[in-house]
Amino acid sequence: MEIISGFSKLSKKQKLAWLAAQIAERQSDTNQQEFIADFESYQHRDPKVQKLYDEFSENTLTNFYMPYGLVPNVLMNGKLYAIPLVIEESSVVAAAAGSAKFWLERGGFKAEVIDTKKVGQVHFLWEGDFKKIDVLFDELRELMLDNTALITANMRARGGGILDISLVNMTEVEPNYYQIKATFETCESMGANFINTCLEEFARTLKDWAANSEHFVGREKEPLVVMSILSNYTPECLVRAWVECPVNELGYFEEMPPEMFAYKFSKAIMIAKNDPHRATTHNKGIFNGIDALTLATGNDFRAIEACGHTYASRNGKYQSLTDCSIENGVFKFWIEIPMAVGTVGGLTSLHPLVKKSFEILGNPSVKELMELMAVIGLAQNFGALKSLTTTGIQKGHMKMHLLNILKHFEATENEVKQAVEHFKNNVVSFRSVRDLLDLVRIEQPIA
Amino acid sequence: MEIISGFSKLSKKQKLAWLAAQIAERQSDTNQQEFIADFESYQHRDPKVQKLYDEFSENTLTNFYMPYGLVPNVLMNGKLYAIPLVIEESSVVAAAAGSAKFWLERGGFKAEVIDTKKVGQVHFLWEGDFKKIDVLFDELRELMLDNTALITANMRARGGGILDISLVNMTEVEPNYYQIKATFETCESMGANFINTCLEEFARTLKDWAANSEHFVGREKEPLVVMSILSNYTPECLVRAWVECPVNELGYFEEMPPEMFAYKFSKAIMIAKNDPHRATTHNKGIFNGIDALTLATGNDFRAIEACGHTYASRNGKYQSLTDCSIENGVFKFWIEIPMAVGTVGGLTSLHPLVKKSFEILGNPSVKELMELMAVIGLAQNFGALKSLTTTGIQKGHMKMHLLNILKHFEATENEVKQAVEHFKNNVVSFRSVRDLLDLVRIEQPIA
């Protein structure tokens, strides 16, 4: 690769041409026209639609395809949903669909939003006596509210806005370190831009106020704002979802009686509560479902992941986000997870397939979406634990894996049939499938 | 929505038709043909290519487009890369490109892999005396190695395989609870299937061995395997990346001298070390870059996220994954993060654009990919902290936000120009942009 200046200013065609030339420089057998055509084959046929996608991000070359799938039959709080999931991993949609069907016959999922508070912070250094600024803080808070009144007008009209502004003394952590910590209600939006705009205004207000306050002298007049930024950790923007049924209605899993299944399931949860090695994988499975719905609804899965995992470590040890109980013959399984999402703003009104997702979900409110997120995470976790504690996951996975490898080798229908039969009792690997296909292709196909 | 049986057995056309009919039931003004056509417009023009994508997951309806962008000028260990990123969030690619350019002029990024060990566990309950099984464990280990010899043959030929198998006494956590904990080297693959297949074989071996051992009697002969599964937490599959330069070479940021920038930057890191609220958002930004490269290379971002966040909480408190120092006039900034990825297996050889990503990256080894992952995370974090500690992030964000809203209202070039000018001193919101456009569109454009 060579250094290039002004890459972002090039047209998409020029960017691709530069890249193709760079690749050709390295691999002389590169057909540059083909390289470019391959990328262009992923463009939307309508240039206006394509332009939309190009402008979501920067230096865009084309669209990366992610499978957009559907999980029908999800019963939540007595209402039936079909849930769109965007996920590149096999088995996730199938597992969610399996869990949805299982619980459909047992009363469905229940869910409720516990709270919807968002958090933001202005971090600053200030050399002075804490008591002095603490006493004056009511004055500063009023000023902050006044100075953001214009910014918050629309949000207040919708029932949201700034809930609280407080001063936090962090000098035990670091000399002179303080925070202005604020909580927000952002209604139907995720609220990042709203919160950050408020916070940057708080920071300006703080500096002006300190500079002009008659109570301060010298360095007291010069707080140093390190940064003003929302927190993605929102433990008070919290949702709970659960399922329950009598143990004996859980049914048989192959030859495993329901009591044994419930017992093993509860031990799997116990392990994920106590062993961070297991908890990581346990929660990873939960996010398989949540991230897929997050993508489908144009929300930000990095924010939701970071928040959920910090929440999982809140007791000083990284733990499972789900829990279960078996009491008086009743099996109960639940999740409690912070979930800062939006149904307006950001990509939600811009990405055409995100708009379709909302249509499929019946244009849910933000609370309903939070609940659906928790439900799909719980469904996913139930599916994973059900497989793990009964047949093991490799049976299903290796079947998918085998089909993927066969696809790679462009196996015919007949070859697929023979391979599936063969690998019922043999270990699937890239090489073993290739070897089998070599064999099958040299001999005559049996049927 | 209605309950549907056998949805997965329907063809894609039938699935879409069912969905369209369901939506029409709810919204009588739905044009079902248009609804279906919208979904179909995202299909690849080549049915063979489309079939590939359809089979990555289940119940697929179409492709969800994610912007595929490029970050040029990334200098790592003396070699120049262009890094493909798949990300729906604006500003991420631009920030990475900005950091890449900044460090290109200051020696570039350095990175090294510290270790590449993966982990798997068989969790089981066993009623007996720990000393008894502990003494016999060497025998069981040998048997496990023998019974997996066929499964591990190819991996061993490539220099990998099972590194170690140990017995872990977990009875302090729960009576009768033990683990077989194994470590693996999976070479160029992420190794999930390989590890899980080995573990399920370990579990079978454990059960057979216990049942047939002359040393055991009664319940000792019946260990209950709860589950056998890899751990996504791989603290020994670790990579480090860093940048450094003399403080005075950091240059001016608008009017901020380099010493002040380095000082504020180091305070931002201190805050992310000490406050989980900030650490969450700090690390979220790191994963903006890492997840985007993860997607572009067909790896699993849920696994990488879960692992990284558990690692961030390993000291009993959720903390920043990056760190910095200013010593002897030298600014140094680094990341240390576990990173279990693969360059073969899974989607890597199946997803056409993933193959292109590897071509663009110069077909890196798995260690090189781990290093690139750490570098893009570090670059992203540098960009975020640079914005936050200098101009604040809203300036850039609100510009992008404004352009997105203008796009939504199909603003003309002229209207865009006027809006950008207007919002230099006014608060951007959906409503304020709409109001301005209403005004501009009633009056004559100024030209």
Side-chain angles (χ1 to χ4, degrees), chain A residues 4 26 58 61 64 66 68 73 91 174 232 267 300 359, chain B residues 4 26 58 61 64 66 68 73 91 174 267 281 284 300 359:
Chain A
I4 178 164
R26 205 160 53 195
E58 304 85 38
L61 302 180
F64 186 87
M66 298 271 283
Y68 182 105
N73 304 326
S91 304
E174 172 92 1
N232 288 122
K267 291 302 166 194
D300 182 333
E359 206 177 334
Chain B
I4 178 164
R26 206 160 53 196
E58 303 85 37
L61 303 180
F64 187 86
M66 297 271 285
Y68 182 105
N73 303 326
S91 305
E174 172 93 1
K267 292 300 166 194
T281 314
K284 186 272 184 197
D300 181 333
E359 206 178 334

PDB file of all heavy atoms in Angstrom, chain A residues 4 26 58 61 64 66 68 73 91 174 232 267 300 359, chain B residues 4 26 58 61 64 66 68 73 91 174 267 281 284 300 359:
ATOM      1  N   ILE A   4      -1.730   7.842   0.726  1.00  0.00           N
ATOM      2  CA  ILE A   4      -2.564   8.668  -0.149  1.00  0.00           C
ATOM      3  C   ILE A   4      -3.111   9.857   0.629  1.00  0.00           C
ATOM      4  O   ILE A   4      -3.537   9.710   1.780  1.00  0.00           O
ATOM      5  CB  ILE A   4      -3.710   7.844  -0.792  1.00  0.00           C
ATOM      6  CG1 ILE A   4      -4.570   8.762  -1.655  1.00  0.00           C
ATOM      7  CG2 ILE A   4      -4.530   7.088   0.243  1.00  0.00           C
ATOM      8  CD1 ILE A   4      -5.471   8.046  -2.618  1.00  0.00           C
ATOM      9  N   ARG A  26       0.459  -5.342  -5.714  1.00  0.00           N
ATOM     10  CA  ARG A  26       0.887  -6.406  -4.825  1.00  0.00           C
ATOM     11  C   ARG A  26       0.713  -7.775  -5.462  1.00  0.00           C
ATOM     12  O   ARG A  26       1.536  -8.652  -5.293  1.00  0.00           O
ATOM     13  CB  ARG A  26       0.039  -6.325  -3.541  1.00  0.00           C
ATOM     14  CG  ARG A  26       0.682  -6.902  -2.325  1.00  0.00           C
ATOM     15  CD  ARG A  26       0.036  -6.354  -1.055  1.00  0.00           C
ATOM     16  NE  ARG A  26      -1.407  -6.520  -1.043  1.00  0.00           N
ATOM     17  CZ  ARG A  26      -2.228  -5.889  -0.199  1.00  0.00           C
ATOM     18  NH1 ARG A  26      -1.741  -5.039   0.695  1.00  0.00           N
ATOM     19  NH2 ARG A  26      -3.513  -6.081  -0.241  1.00  0.00           N
ATOM     20  N   GLU A  58     -18.262   7.192   6.243  1.00  0.00           N
ATOM     21  CA  GLU A  58     -17.294   7.899   5.400  1.00  0.00           C
ATOM     22  C   GLU A  58     -16.453   6.894   4.592  1.00  0.00           C
ATOM     23  O   GLU A  58     -16.313   5.745   4.980  1.00  0.00           O
ATOM     24  CB  GLU A  58     -16.372   8.766   6.265  1.00  0.00           C
ATOM     25  CG  GLU A  58     -17.116   9.759   7.162  1.00  0.00           C
ATOM     26  CD  GLU A  58     -17.559   9.155   8.480  1.00  0.00           C
ATOM     27  OE1 GLU A  58     -16.791   8.352   9.029  1.00  0.00           O
ATOM     28  OE2 GLU A  58     -18.675   9.453   8.939  1.00  0.00           O
ATOM     29  N   LEU A  61     -17.203   2.264   0.143  1.00  0.00           N
ATOM     30  CA  LEU A  61     -16.907   1.647  -1.150  1.00  0.00           C
ATOM     31  C   LEU A  61     -18.103   0.883  -1.694  1.00  0.00           C
ATOM     32  O   LEU A  61     -18.302   0.797  -2.899  1.00  0.00           O
ATOM     33  CB  LEU A  61     -15.734   0.665  -1.003  1.00  0.00           C
ATOM     34  CG  LEU A  61     -14.416   1.232  -0.470  1.00  0.00           C
ATOM     35  CD1 LEU A  61     -13.371   0.122  -0.399  1.00  0.00           C
ATOM     36  CD2 LEU A  61     -13.925   2.385  -1.338  1.00  0.00           C
ATOM     37  N   PHE A  64     -22.001  -3.831   2.706  1.00  0.00           N
ATOM     38  CA  PHE A  64     -21.700  -5.157   3.237  1.00  0.00           C
ATOM     39  C   PHE A  64     -23.041  -5.802   3.563  1.00  0.00           C
ATOM     40  O   PHE A  64     -23.829  -5.243   4.313  1.00  0.00           O
ATOM     41  CB  PHE A  64     -20.847  -4.999   4.494  1.00  0.00           C
ATOM     42  CG  PHE A  64     -20.330  -6.284   5.080  1.00  0.00           C
ATOM     43  CD1 PHE A  64     -19.136  -6.830   4.626  1.00  0.00           C
ATOM     44  CD2 PHE A  64     -21.020  -6.935   6.092  1.00  0.00           C
ATOM     45  CE1 PHE A  64     -18.631  -8.010   5.177  1.00  0.00           C
ATOM     46  CE2 PHE A  64     -20.524  -8.111   6.649  1.00  0.00           C
ATOM     47  CZ  PHE A  64     -19.327  -8.648   6.189  1.00  0.00           C
ATOM     48  N   MET A  66     -25.582  -8.226   5.307  1.00  0.00           N
ATOM     49  CA  MET A  66     -25.815  -9.046   6.494  1.00  0.00           C
ATOM     50  C   MET A  66     -27.190  -9.684   6.318  1.00  0.00           C
ATOM     51  O   MET A  66     -28.142  -9.004   5.933  1.00  0.00           O
ATOM     52  CB  MET A  66     -25.839  -8.167   7.750  1.00  0.00           C
ATOM     53  CG  MET A  66     -24.560  -7.433   8.038  1.00  0.00           C
ATOM     54  SD  MET A  66     -23.450  -8.418   9.062  1.00  0.00           S
ATOM     55  CE  MET A  66     -24.234  -8.210  10.668  1.00  0.00           C
ATOM     56  N   TYR A  68     -30.834 -10.659   6.782  1.00  0.00           N
ATOM     57  CA  TYR A  68     -31.967 -10.064   7.501  1.00  0.00           C
ATOM     58  C   TYR A  68     -33.023 -11.160   7.622  1.00  0.00           C
ATOM     59  O   TYR A  68     -33.631 -11.542   6.631  1.00  0.00           O
ATOM     60  CB  TYR A  68     -32.485  -8.875   6.700  1.00  0.00           C
ATOM     61  CG  TYR A  68     -33.628  -8.086   7.307  1.00  0.00           C
ATOM     62  CD1 TYR A  68     -33.394  -6.844   7.880  1.00  0.00           C
ATOM     63  CD2 TYR A  68     -34.937  -8.567   7.282  1.00  0.00           C
ATOM     64  CE1 TYR A  68     -34.432  -6.094   8.421  1.00  0.00           C
ATOM     65  CE2 TYR A  68     -35.979  -7.822   7.826  1.00  0.00           C
ATOM     66  CZ  TYR A  68     -35.719  -6.585   8.383  1.00  0.00           C
ATOM     67  OH  TYR A  68     -36.748  -5.830   8.916  1.00  0.00           O
ATOM     68  N   ASN A  73     -43.902 -15.785  15.752  1.00  0.00           N
ATOM     69  CA  ASN A  73     -44.513 -16.458  16.916  1.00  0.00           C
ATOM     70  C   ASN A  73     -43.962 -16.032  18.279  1.00  0.00           C
ATOM     71  O   ASN A  73     -43.960 -16.826  19.217  1.00  0.00           O
ATOM     72  CB  ASN A  73     -44.372 -17.990  16.801  1.00  0.00           C
ATOM     73  CG  ASN A  73     -44.969 -18.530  15.516  1.00  0.00           C
ATOM     74  OD1 ASN A  73     -45.966 -17.998  15.036  1.00  0.00           O
ATOM     75  ND2 ASN A  73     -44.355 -19.556  14.952  1.00  0.00           N
ATOM     76  N   SER A  91     -27.572 -20.346  13.170  1.00  0.00           N
ATOM     77  CA  SER A  91     -28.228 -20.940  14.351  1.00  0.00           C
ATOM     78  C   SER A  91     -28.880 -19.928  15.293  1.00  0.00           C
ATOM     79  O   SER A  91     -29.699 -20.323  16.128  1.00  0.00           O
ATOM     80  CB  SER A  91     -27.263 -21.800  15.193  1.00  0.00           C
ATOM     81  OG  SER A  91     -26.663 -22.798  14.410  1.00  0.00           O
ATOM     82  N   GLU A 174      -8.695  11.499  42.633  1.00  0.00           N
ATOM     83  CA  GLU A 174      -7.648  12.346  42.033  1.00  0.00           C
ATOM     84  C   GLU A 174      -7.826  13.758  42.582  1.00  0.00           C
ATOM     85  O   GLU A 174      -8.956  14.252  42.629  1.00  0.00           O
ATOM     86  CB  GLU A 174      -7.832  12.337  40.503  1.00  0.00           C
ATOM     87  CG  GLU A 174      -6.962  13.297  39.732  1.00  0.00           C
ATOM     88  CD  GLU A 174      -5.650  12.696  39.261  1.00  0.00           C
ATOM     89  OE1 GLU A 174      -5.416  11.484  39.521  1.00  0.00           O
ATOM     90  OE2 GLU A 174      -4.862  13.417  38.638  1.00  0.00           O
ATOM     91  N   ASN A 232     -22.544   5.741  28.427  1.00  0.00           N
ATOM     92  CA  ASN A 232     -23.294   4.608  27.879  1.00  0.00           C
ATOM     93  C   ASN A 232     -23.699   3.628  28.978  1.00  0.00           C
ATOM     94  O   ASN A 232     -24.420   2.668  28.719  1.00  0.00           O
ATOM     95  CB  ASN A 232     -22.476   3.869  26.811  1.00  0.00           C
ATOM     96  CG  ASN A 232     -22.355   4.653  25.534  1.00  0.00           C
ATOM     97  OD1 ASN A 232     -21.269   4.969  25.070  1.00  0.00           O
ATOM     98  ND2 ASN A 232     -23.490   4.984  24.952  1.00  0.00           N
ATOM     99  N   LYS A 267     -28.306 -25.465  37.228  1.00  0.00           N
ATOM    100  CA  LYS A 267     -26.868 -25.577  37.499  1.00  0.00           C
ATOM    101  C   LYS A 267     -26.074 -24.757  36.471  1.00  0.00           C
ATOM    102  O   LYS A 267     -25.047 -24.156  36.795  1.00  0.00           O
ATOM    103  CB  LYS A 267     -26.420 -27.044  37.464  1.00  0.00           C
ATOM    104  CG  LYS A 267     -26.963 -27.881  38.620  1.00  0.00           C
ATOM    105  CD  LYS A 267     -26.541 -27.308  39.975  1.00  0.00           C
ATOM    106  CE  LYS A 267     -27.331 -27.915  41.116  1.00  0.00           C
ATOM    107  NZ  LYS A 267     -27.196 -27.187  42.373  1.00  0.00           N
ATOM    108  N   ASP A 300     -27.503   1.191  18.289  1.00  0.00           N
ATOM    109  CA  ASP A 300     -26.046   1.078  18.329  1.00  0.00           C
ATOM    110  C   ASP A 300     -25.658  -0.088  19.238  1.00  0.00           C
ATOM    111  O   ASP A 300     -25.753   0.014  20.463  1.00  0.00           O
ATOM    112  CB  ASP A 300     -25.487   2.407  18.859  1.00  0.00           C
ATOM    113  CG  ASP A 300     -23.971   2.454  18.918  1.00  0.00           C
ATOM    114  OD1 ASP A 300     -23.337   1.382  19.060  1.00  0.00           O
ATOM    115  OD2 ASP A 300     -23.426   3.566  18.839  1.00  0.00           O
ATOM    116  N   GLU A 359     -41.982  -1.222  11.090  1.00  0.00           N
ATOM    117  CA  GLU A 359     -43.308  -1.552  10.558  1.00  0.00           C
ATOM    118  C   GLU A 359     -43.674  -2.986  10.964  1.00  0.00           C
ATOM    119  O   GLU A 359     -44.800  -3.253  11.411  1.00  0.00           O
ATOM    120  CB  GLU A 359     -43.258  -1.411   9.035  1.00  0.00           C
ATOM    121  CG  GLU A 359     -44.592  -1.104   8.399  1.00  0.00           C
ATOM    122  CD  GLU A 359     -44.455  -0.916   6.889  1.00  0.00           C
ATOM    123  OE1 GLU A 359     -43.349  -0.542   6.403  1.00  0.00           O
ATOM    124  OE2 GLU A 359     -45.457  -1.175   6.189  1.00  0.00           O
TER     125      GLU A 359
ATOM    126  N   ILE B   4     -47.849 -18.836  13.136  1.00  0.00           N
ATOM    127  CA  ILE B   4     -47.607 -19.594  11.908  1.00  0.00           C
ATOM    128  C   ILE B   4     -46.747 -20.809  12.225  1.00  0.00           C
ATOM    129  O   ILE B   4     -45.777 -20.712  12.974  1.00  0.00           O
ATOM    130  CB  ILE B   4     -46.960 -18.714  10.797  1.00  0.00           C
ATOM    131  CG1 ILE B   4     -46.685 -19.567   9.554  1.00  0.00           C
ATOM    132  CG2 ILE B   4     -45.697 -18.011  11.283  1.00  0.00           C
ATOM    133  CD1 ILE B   4     -46.417 -18.766   8.305  1.00  0.00           C
ATOM    134  N   ARG B  26     -52.904  -5.363   9.524  1.00  0.00           N
ATOM    135  CA  ARG B  26     -52.788  -4.344  10.565  1.00  0.00           C
ATOM    136  C   ARG B  26     -52.977  -2.943   9.997  1.00  0.00           C
ATOM    137  O   ARG B  26     -53.554  -2.078  10.626  1.00  0.00           O
ATOM    138  CB  ARG B  26     -51.398  -4.475  11.206  1.00  0.00           C
ATOM    139  CG  ARG B  26     -51.306  -3.975  12.602  1.00  0.00           C
ATOM    140  CD  ARG B  26     -50.108  -4.571  13.308  1.00  0.00           C
ATOM    141  NE  ARG B  26     -48.871  -4.368  12.566  1.00  0.00           N
ATOM    142  CZ  ARG B  26     -47.732  -5.041  12.809  1.00  0.00           C
ATOM    143  NH1 ARG B  26     -47.677  -5.946  13.756  1.00  0.00           N
ATOM    144  NH2 ARG B  26     -46.665  -4.806  12.119  1.00  0.00           N
ATOM    145  N   GLU B  58     -30.889 -18.201   9.131  1.00  0.00           N
ATOM    146  CA  GLU B  58     -32.157 -18.881   8.877  1.00  0.00           C
ATOM    147  C   GLU B  58     -33.278 -17.850   8.696  1.00  0.00           C
ATOM    148  O   GLU B  58     -33.183 -16.734   9.156  1.00  0.00           O
ATOM    149  CB  GLU B  58     -32.502 -19.808  10.050  1.00  0.00           C
ATOM    150  CG  GLU B  58     -31.415 -20.849  10.360  1.00  0.00           C
ATOM    151  CD  GLU B  58     -30.331 -20.308  11.283  1.00  0.00           C
ATOM    152  OE1 GLU B  58     -30.669 -19.534  12.194  1.00  0.00           O
ATOM    153  OE2 GLU B  58     -29.134 -20.618  11.071  1.00  0.00           O
ATOM    154  N   LEU B  61     -34.922 -12.972   4.779  1.00  0.00           N
ATOM    155  CA  LEU B  61     -35.854 -12.296   3.878  1.00  0.00           C
ATOM    156  C   LEU B  61     -35.116 -11.483   2.821  1.00  0.00           C
ATOM    157  O   LEU B  61     -35.578 -11.333   1.700  1.00  0.00           O
ATOM    158  CB  LEU B  61     -36.765 -11.354   4.662  1.00  0.00           C
ATOM    159  CG  LEU B  61     -37.606 -11.958   5.794  1.00  0.00           C
ATOM    160  CD1 LEU B  61     -38.442 -10.876   6.458  1.00  0.00           C
ATOM    161  CD2 LEU B  61     -38.498 -13.073   5.254  1.00  0.00           C
ATOM    162  N   PHE B  64     -29.416  -6.936   4.732  1.00  0.00           N
ATOM    163  CA  PHE B  64     -29.378  -5.648   5.419  1.00  0.00           C
ATOM    164  C   PHE B  64     -28.059  -4.993   5.027  1.00  0.00           C
ATOM    165  O   PHE B  64     -26.996  -5.579   5.210  1.00  0.00           O
ATOM    166  CB  PHE B  64     -29.434  -5.893   6.925  1.00  0.00           C
ATOM    167  CG  PHE B  64     -29.559  -4.643   7.762  1.00  0.00           C
ATOM    168  CD1 PHE B  64     -30.798  -4.094   8.031  1.00  0.00           C
ATOM    169  CD2 PHE B  64     -28.428  -4.039   8.298  1.00  0.00           C
ATOM    170  CE1 PHE B  64     -30.920  -2.956   8.833  1.00  0.00           C
ATOM    171  CE2 PHE B  64     -28.540  -2.897   9.086  1.00  0.00           C
ATOM    172  CZ  PHE B  64     -29.791  -2.358   9.357  1.00  0.00           C
ATOM    173  N   MET B  66     -24.924  -2.644   5.282  1.00  0.00           N
ATOM    174  CA  MET B  66     -24.092  -1.894   6.220  1.00  0.00           C
ATOM    175  C   MET B  66     -23.005  -1.223   5.379  1.00  0.00           C
ATOM    176  O   MET B  66     -22.404  -1.871   4.517  1.00  0.00           O
ATOM    177  CB  MET B  66     -23.425  -2.834   7.215  1.00  0.00           C
ATOM    178  CG  MET B  66     -24.383  -3.584   8.104  1.00  0.00           C
ATOM    179  SD  MET B  66     -24.770  -2.691   9.609  1.00  0.00           S
ATOM    180  CE  MET B  66     -23.259  -2.955  10.514  1.00  0.00           C
ATOM    181  N   TYR B  68     -19.660  -0.212   3.896  1.00  0.00           N
ATOM    182  CA  TYR B  68     -18.331  -0.828   3.876  1.00  0.00           C
ATOM    183  C   TYR B  68     -17.353   0.280   3.483  1.00  0.00           C
ATOM    184  O   TYR B  68     -17.341   0.717   2.330  1.00  0.00           O
ATOM    185  CB  TYR B  68     -18.331  -1.968   2.859  1.00  0.00           C
ATOM    186  CG  TYR B  68     -17.043  -2.760   2.728  1.00  0.00           C
ATOM    187  CD1 TYR B  68     -16.954  -4.044   3.276  1.00  0.00           C
ATOM    188  CD2 TYR B  68     -15.947  -2.268   2.027  1.00  0.00           C
ATOM    189  CE1 TYR B  68     -15.798  -4.809   3.141  1.00  0.00           C
ATOM    190  CE2 TYR B  68     -14.786  -3.014   1.895  1.00  0.00           C
ATOM    191  CZ  TYR B  68     -14.719  -4.284   2.448  1.00  0.00           C
ATOM    192  OH  TYR B  68     -13.566  -5.040   2.311  1.00  0.00           O
ATOM    193  N   ASN B  73      -3.753   4.600   4.860  1.00  0.00           N
ATOM    194  CA  ASN B  73      -2.613   5.224   5.564  1.00  0.00           C
ATOM    195  C   ASN B  73      -2.359   4.715   6.986  1.00  0.00           C
ATOM    196  O   ASN B  73      -1.848   5.454   7.822  1.00  0.00           O
ATOM    197  CB  ASN B  73      -2.780   6.759   5.623  1.00  0.00           C
ATOM    198  CG  ASN B  73      -2.937   7.381   4.253  1.00  0.00           C
ATOM    199  OD1 ASN B  73      -2.339   6.891   3.275  1.00  0.00           O
ATOM    200  ND2 ASN B  73      -3.724   8.419   4.152  1.00  0.00           N
ATOM    201  N   SER B  91     -18.912   9.066  11.533  1.00  0.00           N
ATOM    202  CA  SER B  91     -17.734   9.614  12.226  1.00  0.00           C
ATOM    203  C   SER B  91     -16.699   8.567  12.627  1.00  0.00           C
ATOM    204  O   SER B  91     -15.559   8.930  12.928  1.00  0.00           O
ATOM    205  CB  SER B  91     -18.098  10.421  13.489  1.00  0.00           C
ATOM    206  OG  SER B  91     -19.017  11.436  13.177  1.00  0.00           O
ATOM    207  N   GLU B 174     -19.861 -24.506  44.837  1.00  0.00           N
ATOM    208  CA  GLU B 174     -21.079 -25.338  44.842  1.00  0.00           C
ATOM    209  C   GLU B 174     -20.661 -26.775  45.143  1.00  0.00           C
ATOM    210  O   GLU B 174     -19.694 -27.266  44.559  1.00  0.00           O
ATOM    211  CB  GLU B 174     -21.726 -25.260  43.453  1.00  0.00           C
ATOM    212  CG  GLU B 174     -22.883 -26.196  43.205  1.00  0.00           C
ATOM    213  CD  GLU B 174     -24.241 -25.576  43.510  1.00  0.00           C
ATOM    214  OE1 GLU B 174     -24.288 -24.387  43.908  1.00  0.00           O
ATOM    215  OE2 GLU B 174     -25.239 -26.289  43.361  1.00  0.00           O
ATOM    216  N   LYS B 267      -5.527  12.934  31.786  1.00  0.00           N
ATOM    217  CA  LYS B 267      -6.606  13.011  32.774  1.00  0.00           C
ATOM    218  C   LYS B 267      -7.838  12.250  32.279  1.00  0.00           C
ATOM    219  O   LYS B 267      -8.554  11.624  33.075  1.00  0.00           O
ATOM    220  CB  LYS B 267      -6.975  14.480  33.059  1.00  0.00           C
ATOM    221  CG  LYS B 267      -5.886  15.251  33.778  1.00  0.00           C
ATOM    222  CD  LYS B 267      -5.542  14.631  35.123  1.00  0.00           C
ATOM    223  CE  LYS B 267      -4.247  15.171  35.691  1.00  0.00           C
ATOM    224  NZ  LYS B 267      -3.720  14.364  36.805  1.00  0.00           N
ATOM    225  N   THR B 281     -18.217   4.106  28.237  1.00  0.00           N
ATOM    226  CA  THR B 281     -18.283   4.876  27.002  1.00  0.00           C
ATOM    227  C   THR B 281     -16.922   4.904  26.318  1.00  0.00           C
ATOM    228  O   THR B 281     -16.818   4.837  25.085  1.00  0.00           O
ATOM    229  CB  THR B 281     -18.773   6.312  27.321  1.00  0.00           C
ATOM    230  OG1 THR B 281     -19.891   6.205  28.198  1.00  0.00           O
ATOM    231  CG2 THR B 281     -19.171   7.046  26.065  1.00  0.00           C
ATOM    232  N   LYS B 284     -16.528   1.613  24.737  1.00  0.00           N
ATOM    233  CA  LYS B 284     -17.482   1.546  23.626  1.00  0.00           C
ATOM    234  C   LYS B 284     -16.846   2.123  22.368  1.00  0.00           C
ATOM    235  O   LYS B 284     -16.969   1.575  21.277  1.00  0.00           O
ATOM    236  CB  LYS B 284     -18.751   2.322  24.009  1.00  0.00           C
ATOM    237  CG  LYS B 284     -19.895   2.222  23.024  1.00  0.00           C
ATOM    238  CD  LYS B 284     -19.846   3.276  21.934  1.00  0.00           C
ATOM    239  CE  LYS B 284     -21.053   3.187  21.034  1.00  0.00           C
ATOM    240  NZ  LYS B 284     -20.910   3.877  19.753  1.00  0.00           N
ATOM    241  N   ASP B 300     -16.615 -12.689  14.782  1.00  0.00           N
ATOM    242  CA  ASP B 300     -17.825 -12.610  15.592  1.00  0.00           C
ATOM    243  C   ASP B 300     -17.657 -11.504  16.634  1.00  0.00           C
ATOM    244  O   ASP B 300     -16.935 -11.660  17.615  1.00  0.00           O
ATOM    245  CB  ASP B 300     -18.028 -13.979  16.259  1.00  0.00           C
ATOM    246  CG  ASP B 300     -19.283 -14.040  17.112  1.00  0.00           C
ATOM    247  OD1 ASP B 300     -19.726 -12.988  17.621  1.00  0.00           O
ATOM    248  OD2 ASP B 300     -19.818 -15.145  17.278  1.00  0.00           O
ATOM    249  N   GLU B 359      -8.067  -9.713   1.151  1.00  0.00           N
ATOM    250  CA  GLU B 359      -7.217  -9.323   0.023  1.00  0.00           C
ATOM    251  C   GLU B 359      -6.674  -7.904   0.253  1.00  0.00           C
ATOM    252  O   GLU B 359      -5.481  -7.647   0.075  1.00  0.00           O
ATOM    253  CB  GLU B 359      -8.062  -9.391  -1.251  1.00  0.00           C
ATOM    254  CG  GLU B 359      -7.272  -9.639  -2.519  1.00  0.00           C
ATOM    255  CD  GLU B 359      -8.189  -9.747  -3.735  1.00  0.00           C
ATOM    256  OE1 GLU B 359      -9.379 -10.116  -3.564  1.00  0.00           O
ATOM    257  OE2 GLU B 359      -7.716  -9.445  -4.837  1.00  0.00           O
TER     258      GLU B 359
END
